[in-house]
Amino acid sequence: MTSSSPDGLDRALTAYFHDQVPNPWPACRALEGNPTPVPAARRRNESVSGRAILALSVAALLGFGLLLSSGFPASHPAVPATDPGVLRGSTADGTNLIPPPKKVPMGDKEGPLN
């Protein structure tokens, strides 16, 4: 709960800062003597202006962006070659999707492996 009456710390800080502020406030010395504004110095070399540099940099960024978005000419085909034997003989219902397992020779029926 906050109260509107200041406590001891608030009164001490208020008194301290009131003592630190000069009274009366000093006049601004920069305005004495009617100063006149000084014009900005002009550059001696005006062969390339800031606008020309800005236009050149924007054109370069747009050009590089266009180059990167269209891509570089590829030395390999865009579509990888596929194995024509993949899923050969399979149907839409999924039969023959996995090739049948290979039969492992087990030898003759009477004896162990040859």
Side-chain angles (χ1 to χ4, degrees):
M1 191 187 294
T2 60
S3 64
S4 60
S5 63
D7 60 356
L9 179 62
D10 285 337
R11 283 190 290 272
L13 288 174
T14 301
Y16 171 77
F17 286 115
H18 278 269
D19 290 341
Q20 297 300 314
V21 175
N23 190 11
W25 195 263
C28 181
R29 290 180 288 169
L31 298 178
E32 294 173 356
N34 292 334
T36 58
V38 178
R42 301 210 31 106
R43 292 188 307 169
R44 303 239 185 250
N45 183 8
E46 295 199 19
S47 62
V48 179
S49 69
R51 288 183 181 179
I53 293 172
L54 179 64
L56 182 64
S57 64
V58 168
L61 285 174
L62 288 175
F64 284 131
L66 184 62
L67 176 72
L68 291 176
S69 67
S70 63
F72 294 103
S75 60
H76 54 82
V79 179
T82 58
D83 181 18
V86 174
L87 302 177
R88 181 178 293 167
S90 62
T91 59
D93 64 355
T95 58
N96 299 328
L97 191 58
I98 299 175
K102 295 181 181 179
K103 294 185 178 184
V104 179
M106 296 299 287
D108 54 345
K109 295 185 183 198
E110 279 83 42
L113 290 175
N114 293 340

